[in-house]
Amino acid sequence: MNAKHPSVSRREFLATTSAALLAGSAAATKSTAADSAGAPKLAINGGEKAVKVAVKRARRWGDLERERLNAMLEQDSLFYWKGPQTTLALERYKKIYPLKYAHTCTSGTAALHIAVIAAGIGPGDEVITSPITDIGTVIGVIYQQGVPVFADLGACTFTLDPADVERRITPKTKAIIAVHLCGNPCYLNALKAIADKHNLILIEDCCQAWGAKYRGKPIGTVGHIACWSLQDTKHITTGDGGVVASNDERFGPILQKCGDKGADRLKGGGFQMFATNYRMNEPTAAVLAAQLERLEGFASKRAMLGNLLTEKIAGIPGIRPHQVHPEDRCVYWFYFMRFKTEAFRCNRAEFVKALAAEGVSCSAGYISVPLHREPVFQKHAFFAGHWPVREMGLTTMDFTKHQTPEVEAILQNGIRFTIHEGMTEEYILGAAEAVRKVAKHYAV
Ligand SMILES: *Cc1c(COP(=O)(O)O)cnc(C)c1O
């Protein structure tokens, strides 16, 4: 049996069980909340809500952070180099992520920019990545005068499709940035094999994947360079911040100067290379050191909640749950599922509205269009209305013609569920019941 495609018998089994469950709940509420067909009345039509518990965001910081910040106040310098908070934060980070070289920086965008500087991405070099991501994934590529090349994604994994990545390789390709979207690990073995075969650098964008694991290994440890964000919406945060790390002797030793104006603080020697200032200060590192202590708790809770949702909505006709490899840990920065338009009498917006009325925290889609369909890409206008590498003939990239069909479909029929560590199993069970109820109501 293929793990990605549950056998028909399992699907049938789930369908039968769910029908029985639904019949049970319908019977229990028949006199008060059932419609003429005997199905439970939707909350949007005045029925009882499927979600019966309130959801509260857990406290994200407290005594652990206070203790570190108090220690920081006793220092006479708040500069990062050899700073006690930065040192402690990186020590704790390396316990979770066994990478020899790790550096703090100001954002995920900064971490990714440092990574492409270290990787030697230069004018006209192509970097293959995902078009469903934060624009920070490619800002550094564009600043180094590289060319982002957007590949298509797996239909329900929402991560790079290795076959499509390989199709887009040209003699100019220098790197792949694998985005672990939603905290779901990419097909790293396949991507690493492609990178090795074509002599490419594999950069992992782990910004949405704090605590995720690929085949039991912490995310960020398979590729050549890994990048994390500590922006306020991520699993752990310092408000803004980032980490960049590597085990590779070609890149690891230069990460520090690639984020610190090109200055090598260990060896000195003036400015041997060009880079900007992405240094994280000690107050921020103090918060990071404390947040790292909270990471495993947050990550395991989110993984459990997301997996439970998948288990409970499996087999609903027209709904395709978030697909995660059974040996991986997805940390669900959010939960994404696909809505098969042709299976329902309503459109996605109406479906989401009905779910929200049931008490589910959800929304339609994620970013509105693939990155390359944003105006700044369509106009090729990155630098004061110009894109020098194109004007100089170093690339023929035309973002108005770039196509990623599965990505378009994902953004048109994806439904996004909020998952966070303050949620309970009871909430997830209610949310799953809501999906079942709304799907049944609108089924064709
Ligand atoms: C948040 C995010 C970034 C950018 O991180 P910032 O800290 O906001 O600069 C990059 N890539 C992905 C996938 C992200 O989610």
Side-chain angles (χ1 to χ4, degrees), residues 14-30:
L14 286 165
T16 338
T17 353
S18 57
L21 282 173
L22 201 61
S25 74
T29 52
K30 196 160 69 184

Side-chain angles (χ1 to χ4, degrees), residues 107-109 112 133-134 136-137 179 205 207-208 229 231 234 240-241:
S107 68
T109 305
L112 284 146
T133 184
D134 183 279
T137 302
V179 179
D205 179 340
C207 293
Q208 299 185 4
S229 168
Q231 188 268 338
K234 313 299 180 181
D240 264 313

Side-chain angles (χ1 to χ4, degrees), residues 126-409:
E126 294 176 1
V127 178
I128 301 176
T129 192
S130 165
I132 303 185
T133 184
D134 183 279
I135 190 170
T137 302
V138 296
I139 285 175
V141 173
I142 294 167
Y143 265 104
Q144 292 311 108
Q145 309 304 328
V147 178
V149 174
F150 296 104
D152 221 338
L153 304 185
C156 294
T157 59
F158 314 110
T159 57
L160 283 176
D161 169 4
D164 196 54
V165 168
E166 194 152 31
R167 275 195 289 277
R168 291 178 199 257
I169 291 173
T170 74
K172 289 182 171 179
T173 309
K174 288 282 165 59
I176 299 167
I177 302 181
V179 179
H180 305 302
L181 197 77
C182 306
N184 194 19
C186 289
Y187 296 105
L188 284 172
N189 283 345
L191 293 174
K192 186 67 173 12
I194 292 169
D196 289 345
K197 181 171 150 199
H198 298 273
N199 198 20
L200 310 176
I201 298 152
L202 180 61
I203 297 169
E204 292 186 52
D205 179 340
C206 308
C207 293
Q208 299 185 4
W210 282 104
K213 287 184 181 164
Y214 177 73
R215 309 295 190 267
K217 291 186 292 250
I219 211 73
T221 56
V222 174
H224 298 105
I225 310 174
C227 307
W228 280 264
S229 168
L230 293 159
Q231 188 268 338
D232 197 61
T233 63
K234 313 299 180 181
H235 299 75
I236 58 167
T237 181
T238 57
D240 264 313
V243 177
V244 58
S246 176
N247 254 343
D248 194 298
E249 292 298 330
R250 290 172 297 169
F251 313 118
I254 61 172
L255 293 177
Q256 178 269 320
K257 61 181 171 183
C258 291
D260 189 356
K261 302 183 189 172
D264 190 326
R265 301 230 165 238
L266 209 55
K267 297 197 197 119
F271 298 107
Q272 307 279 341
M273 69 175 299
F274 187 67
T276 187
N277 174 1
Y278 283 138
R279 297 184 304 238
M280 175 191 278
N281 61 28
E282 279 279 280
T284 309
V287 177
L288 171 57
Q291 286 276 296
L292 284 163
E293 301 270 270
R294 300 183 189 273
L295 172 57
E296 181 52 28
F298 289 170
S300 55
K301 182 81 184 284
R302 282 176 182 247
M304 182 273 288
L305 294 170
N307 292 343
L308 181 63
L309 183 56
T310 293
E311 187 191 320
K312 297 296 171 188
I313 65 174
I316 300 178
I319 297 295
R320 299 162 79 191
H322 207 139
Q323 184 188 319
V324 177
H325 190 281
E327 290 168 61
D328 290 351
R329 183 208 252 177
C330 173
V331 287
Y332 301 100
W333 188 59
F334 62 86
Y335 185 104
F336 219 18
M337 69 173 203
R338 298 283 297 270
F339 169 86
K340 262 193 207 156
T341 312
E342 63 280 11
F344 299 100
R345 290 179 290 111
C346 66
N347 62 28
R348 178 180 67 169
E350 290 162 326
F351 195 90
V352 166
K353 212 169 148 200
L355 280 180
E358 299 291 337
V360 180
S361 176
C362 60
S363 53
Y366 171 36
I367 56 175
S368 54
V369 290
L371 274 186
H372 53 270
R373 291 222 284 111
E374 289 285 350
V376 70
F377 289 89
Q378 292 282 298
K379 290 187 280 188
H380 305 99
F382 302 109
F383 300 97
H386 294 274
W387 194 17
V389 285
R390 201 164 107 116
E391 290 168 14
M392 290 166 69
L394 293 174
T395 183
T396 54
M397 172 57 79
D398 182 346
F399 289 114
T400 67
K401 301 213 168 76
H402 206 76
Q403 305 229 336
T404 51
E406 192 62 51
V407 157
E408 298 280 342

